[in-house]
Amino acid sequence: MIGIALRTLRFHRGGFVASFVGMFLGAAIVIGCGGLLESGIHRAAPPLRMDAAPIVVSGDQRYHGTAKDEVFAERVPLDAGLAGELAAVPGVAGVAADVSFPVTLTRDGRRLTGHGWSSTRLAPYRLVEGSAPSGKGRIVLSDRLGVRVGETVEALVRGRAERYRVSGLVGGAGNGAFLPDAEAGQAAGRPGEVDSIGLFTAPGADVAKVRRDVERAVDGRQASVLTGDERGLAENPDVMSEGEDLIPLAAAFGGLSAMVTVFVVAATLGLSIRRRRPQTALLRAVGATPGQIRRLIVGETMLLAVVATGLACLPGPHVGRWLLAAFAEAGVVPDTLAYRAGIVPVVAGACTALLTALGAAVVAAHGAARTRPVEALAEASRETRRFSRVRLALGLAFLAGGAALAWGTAGSDGPDAAGVATPAAMVWTAGFALLGPVLAAAVTAALRRPLRAATGCAGYLATENARAGTSRLTGAILPVMLATGLALALTYMQTTQTEGARAVFQENLRADLAVTSPAGGLPLDTVDWIARRPGVAAASAQVTSTGYIEPAELAGPLVHKGDAGEGAPQPPAMALLGVTAAGVTRTTAYRATGGSLDALAGASVALPERFAAPYRIGDTVPMRLGDGSRAALRLVATVRTRPGYETALLPAATLLPHTGGGLVPQIMVSVRPGADRDRLARTLAQGRPGLRVVDRAALSALRAEQDRTQAWMSWLVLAVVVGYAAIALVNAQILAVGERRRQFRLLRLVGAARRQVLRMMAVEAVLVTAAGLAAGALVAAATLIPLSLSVLDAPVPHGSPWILATVIAAALALTLAATLLPTLSLLRARPGGAVAGGRGPHQAVRVEDVLARRAPVELGVALRRLLER
């Protein structure tokens, strides 16, 4: 049978090309997603500034001992005294500590990153003019900035305007600013702490051995020893937290693509094999066994799958690199994260694609092989198979699974609901796909009379064809359902989540103005200065971070990697907001449900009610702040927040030292009743250098822009997945139309004009689109209603109705184009080819067979209807 399979491939080029395209694209996407997953696991960030040091010691960003091994949101600092200890490690020839802080040149607003002068040993910088900064008020800048040695420049450092004399210029990658080491430590706002320490090994020293000795030296501290590509983590610790986000993103994207591939290949292969029923029937009639038929179909499919998957291994890694670059450009992952994928993603993606093709081939072969020999020829001419009980049971099981996931979606917190809703969409899709014949029959019955009334003979022929060819109709409907269902579900899922986040932001926004700085933040004393300005009712700092309530199991010595074990605790994580007690109630919507927010001072905290249950007002709450520091905070109040958006309030002075910049990102201001808000904004902006004042509308616009940036990732995933489904839709429609060659020739033989056949096919395309949209709408509704209940507390998702209109118009346009264009091509052939001269083994048919009603039912219906006219 394998030999027959090889010899018959050339007689069914159309069907195999369609299947090949689906397998090739699906395998390329899955392989690319596998590469993204491995890149997220490695989180490789090749060093730039620290490339000269073979070993770098940096703060360990992991919260070891937790069930999920959480990652701290802020940079974990190191004790500056550690540099001296590491210098004494055998094999270490020298050390260089590094700190980073923002520097903004006031003359052109250019933002630079400042460092201490000794860190130039770590970087590919060289002094090209002048000398090193040797005293206070001296600075060295990049030679790319257009400044000269001896020139005085003004810069914003730690939110204040400072004047520096340029003592030298450096060449090399990047635009840096270098201060004397002591002044750099003060500018970073963390005296006695450094970001990282670079170690230089002695000539001939074994770097691996030195690393082991350094690891023993830092044992018991929140520090990590990095070599190779890991050193980039010291330059950009966001790679650890944001790079880790790439793992679930790639897994979800790859899983979604794999499931779409299953549906696409199964539908396309089913249509292709259905098109060959006369050939299969003939083989069964002359004695071929069911096993031989299965081997024939599976052999053909796997031969095709091997070629398609093998070719997909070439562009697959490029797809992964393109996706990673797109995510980095949108700010979803750091741009320093490198694509690192070996042979594992390629092998895993190829195996997934082959297993998908094998499963689809086995299912399709089962239907073709179960026909009894005495019924084979009749089966080839007319559909007589009933709806399988196994298929019905599986369809109902998937619908039950979708209902369970819908329940879980409705019960999830708003931000987490999409994580449950996305797999729910695929489960619903699988259920409705298995019940496709039932849906197709129901939609055909519902539209039969309206189509006949609106289109006359064309509608009659189209609905009769649909009723007689349920299998073909179902295979054409499935890609439409897949494309429209996923497009509606994923699009409205994103718009609903965006609206939920916007609603929470608007609920919490009570301030009239917000004060920021192009330098990246403001000194904390700016809050008091603003609060004393005429016309200001209240002012409050807003410092954001992330923290954890530390479980008692982790309250002892620091737990390091590998020490967690089974049953490790998962500390409650929540957003942290540093505020000013005197202005928090006037500038935000937070209100105390227990205790008082006025007591937020010193080491204190106001917890969300959800996490405050084990404690009473006045109790001490053990917490880990964003930089990994432990803090014992006194509970002074509880606040009510939306589920999933829980935020703990801390005094800004307490939280600020544990953030990366050590500056207040923005200060919220409420205006006194009767005061001129615009005049106050101008007064504040002119009061101190580097202040920028925006109103509430600008804040909302900025938030919307941030939401759009974060949503870009979802739109990219949507474009790739739905685009693939759309290609499958076109393939399926072309394949389904190609099956109708003999019917078109017979219709032309008995006198039907081309326009009559085209009208019939146009009505069928409308019928397929309507059925696919109905099924897709069911998928979307079953996915979005629970999501909307979770996010918006309402059953109707948020989003423009133009999204629905666009999806409907696109589905109809694609289906019409993929139906009518192949029909026009087939109608170019002479009608006599239906009687004799057909080139394919099943294209020729005798007129007496038609008159004897041995042709397919739809042909008899068409001929009878045309003859009556």
Side-chain angles (χ1 to χ4, degrees):
M1 300 304 289
I2 301 300
I4 296 177
L6 292 174
R7 287 192 292 271
T8 57
L9 281 176
R10 62 190 181 93
F11 294 106
H12 309 285
R13 288 188 296 269
F16 285 114
V17 167
S19 300
F20 177 87
V21 170
M23 295 176 189
F24 174 79
L25 293 177
I29 295 174
V30 172
I31 290 172
C33 292
L36 283 181
L37 182 63
E38 186 170 349
S39 298
I41 294 173
H42 289 309
R43 287 190 292 279
L48 299 175
R49 290 185 38 258
M50 298 188 177
D51 190 46
I55 302 174
V56 175
V57 178
S58 182
D60 191 353
Q61 298 295 132
R62 290 283 189 184
Y63 189 176
H64 295 297
T66 60
K68 295 182 180 179
D69 222 10
E70 300 282 353
V71 177
F72 293 117
E74 311 288 347
R75 178 188 283 276
V76 176
L78 296 175
D79 185 352
L82 180 61
E85 298 179 31
L86 296 179
V89 173
V92 175
V95 298
D98 178 60
V99 294
S100 300
F101 52 91
V103 176
T104 303
L105 299 180
T106 56
R107 65 174 186 174
D108 57 7
R110 186 172 301 190
R111 301 188 65 175
L112 313 174
T113 300
H115 306 278
W117 175 249
S118 63
S119 67
T120 54
R121 295 180 58 193
L122 304 171
Y125 290 108
R126 64 188 185 282
L127 190 66
V128 296
E129 187 178 350
S131 60
S134 57
K136 185 174 177 59
R138 302 284 178 158
I139 192 171
V140 172
L141 297 175
S142 170
D143 60 353
R144 300 179 179 182
L145 299 177
V147 298
R148 293 175 297 178
V149 174
E151 182 179 346
T152 299
V153 297
E154 186 180 68
L156 295 176
V157 179
R158 289 202 57 74
R160 303 184 188 277
E162 303 285 353
R163 297 178 68 82
Y164 295 95
R165 185 176 180 84
V166 179
S167 64
L169 301 177
V170 294
N175 293 328
F178 300 92
L179 299 178
D181 291 341
E183 195 171 348
Q186 295 175 357
R190 299 187 302 275
E193 294 180 341
V194 295
D195 294 339
S196 54
I197 303 171
L199 307 181
F200 301 92
T201 57
D206 185 351
V207 175
K209 181 180 183 303
V210 175
R211 173 175 179 166
R212 291 192 296 269
D213 293 338
V214 171
E215 287 176 342
R216 284 193 290 269
V218 300
D219 188 32
R221 312 188 196 198
Q222 191 74 32
S224 58
V225 182
L226 310 173
T227 56
D229 281 351
E230 295 176 338
R231 293 172 294 169
L233 300 178
E235 297 180 15
N236 186 4
D238 290 341
V239 172
M240 181 63 72
S241 57
E242 297 179 13
E244 189 175 51
D245 295 340
L246 192 61
I247 297 176
L249 171 63
F253 192 6
L256 186 63
S257 301
M259 294 189 71
V260 172
T261 303
V262 171
F263 293 128
V264 167
V265 173
T268 307
L269 192 59
L271 282 172
S272 176
I273 291 176
R274 184 190 176 282
R275 186 178 179 183
R276 300 166 51 195
R277 285 189 307 163
Q279 175 188 353
T280 306
L282 181 61
L283 290 173
R284 290 288 289 126
V286 298
T289 64
Q292 290 175 317
I293 297 295
R294 291 190 187 95
R295 287 196 297 273
L296 171 67
I297 295 174
V298 172
E300 289 177 344
T301 305
M302 294 311 295
L303 177 64
L304 196 67
V306 168
V307 176
T309 304
L311 293 177
C313 291
L314 300 177
H318 296 286
V319 172
R321 289 189 179 90
W322 175 77
L323 289 172
L324 181 60
F327 290 154
E329 183 178 357
V332 178
V333 298
D335 55 5
T336 54
L337 186 65
Y339 185 83
R340 290 289 186 269
I343 194 62
V344 175
V346 176
V347 173
C351 290
T352 301
L354 292 175
L355 289 175
T356 297
L358 178 62
V362 169
V363 172
H366 176 72
R370 65 179 179 174
T371 306
R372 292 181 298 177
V374 295
E375 298 174 350
L377 294 178
E379 182 73 11
S381 299
R382 185 172 185 172
E383 292 186 6
T384 59
R385 287 198 292 264
R386 297 180 179 178
F387 191 69
S388 169
R389 293 182 180 179
V390 175
R391 184 170 181 172
L392 176 62
L394 286 175
L396 294 176
F398 273 101
L399 293 185
L405 288 174
W407 181 268
T409 301
S412 300
D413 294 338
D416 302 328
V420 186
T422 301
M426 298 308 301
V427 174
W428 285 116
T429 300
F432 288 123
L434 289 169
L435 298 177
V438 176
L439 292 175
V443 173
T444 301
L447 297 180
R448 181 181 297 117
R449 290 188 178 182
L451 285 177
R452 290 181 179 181
T455 58
C457 179
Y460 180 86
L461 292 174
T463 53
E464 289 300 318
N465 279 332
R467 186 175 65 173
T470 305
S471 297
R472 182 183 66 232
L473 181 67
T474 302
I477 288 173
L478 179 57
V480 180
M481 177 193 71
L482 188 64
T484 58
L486 288 179
L488 291 173
L490 296 179
T491 302
Y492 281 113
M493 188 184 301
Q494 180 58 47
T495 56
T496 300
Q497 283 196 298
T498 300
E499 173 62 18
R502 187 203 65 80
V504 172
F505 176 77
Q506 292 294 337
E507 287 175 5
N508 290 333
L509 183 61
R510 293 290 185 272
D512 301 299
L513 300 172
V515 181
T516 63
S517 171
L522 297 163
L524 185 58
D525 60 10
T526 310
V527 179
D528 294 333
W529 178 83
I530 292 176
R532 293 192 299 265
R533 297 304 93 191
V536 174
S540 173
Q542 277 210 340
V543 183
T544 57
S545 186
T546 303
Y548 307 87
I549 297 177
E550 187 160 56
E553 299 93 322
L554 301 179
L558 289 176
V559 179
H560 286 274
K561 187 175 182 180
D563 295 340
E566 295 184 4
Q570 182 58 39
M574 69 196 76
L576 303 181
L577 182 63
V579 298
T580 306
V584 62
T585 57
R586 297 289 298 273
T587 57
T588 70
Y590 293 108
R591 298 294 181 268
T593 57
S596 173
L597 294 180
D598 294 334
L600 279 172
S604 60
V605 64
L607 287 180
E609 291 179 321
R610 182 176 185 177
F611 300 126
Y615 305 98
R616 295 182 179 180
I617 301 298
D619 287 352
T620 298
V621 182
M623 298 191 69
R624 293 289 288 269
L625 303 182
D627 64 348
S629 301
R630 283 174 166 158
L633 305 178
R634 181 171 52 90
L635 181 64
V636 297
T638 57
V639 292
R640 179 176 292 114
T641 56
R642 277 197 181 191
Y645 298 94
E646 289 84 6
T647 301
L649 306 182
L650 284 77
T654 301
L655 183 60
L656 207 56
H658 303 284
T659 60
L663 298 174
V664 179
Q666 63 183 9
I667 300 172
M668 311 305 293
V669 180
S670 287
V671 180
R672 288 186 184 277
D676 188 336
R677 185 175 61 184
D678 294 336
R679 182 178 180 181
L680 176 60
R682 290 193 298 270
T683 301
L684 293 177
Q686 297 169 2
R688 286 191 177 184
L691 294 188
R692 181 179 298 166
V693 184
V694 297
D695 58 13
R696 184 182 298 183
L699 278 175
S700 300
L702 180 61
R703 171 71 187 193
E705 181 63 28
Q706 292 173 348
D707 288 340
R708 282 192 292 270
T709 299
Q710 294 175 357
W712 192 92
M713 173 187 64
S714 299
W715 298 128
L716 177 62
V717 173
L718 175 67
V720 173
V721 174
V722 175
Y724 177 44
I727 293 174
L729 184 157
V730 173
N731 274 345
Q733 292 304 122
I734 293 175
L735 197 59
V737 172
E739 183 186 353
R740 314 284 288 279
R741 183 189 306 269
R742 184 173 60 169
Q743 177 185 353
F744 294 160
R745 288 182 175 179
L746 287 172
L747 289 173
R748 296 281 290 119
L749 182 65
V750 297
R754 284 190 176 91
R755 61 180 179 82
Q756 291 176 309
V757 179
L758 285 173
R759 286 184 61 193
M760 178 189 74
M761 294 303 294
V763 175
E764 285 195 33
V766 171
L767 183 61
V768 168
T769 305
L773 282 170
L778 288 175
V779 171
T783 303
L784 294 173
I785 291 176
L787 176 81
S788 184
L789 288 172
S790 173
V791 176
L792 303 178
D793 295 326
V796 180
H798 176 82
S800 171
W802 287 107
I803 297 174
L804 176 62
T806 302
V807 171
I808 293 174
L812 181 60
L814 284 175
T815 308
L816 282 172
T819 301
L820 297 183
L821 292 178
T823 301
L824 281 171
S825 177
L826 292 178
L827 289 176
R828 292 175 183 174
R830 296 172 55 188
V835 178
R839 290 181 297 173
H842 61 279
Q843 290 176 0
V845 63
R846 296 181 303 168
V847 174
E848 53 268 29
D849 288 341
V850 176
L851 299 178
R853 300 175 62 85
R854 291 179 59 186
V857 173
E858 63 267 26
L859 296 183
V861 171
L863 291 173
R864 184 170 65 252
R865 183 65 174 171
L866 289 173
L867 290 173
E868 288 175 357
R869 295 185 61 194

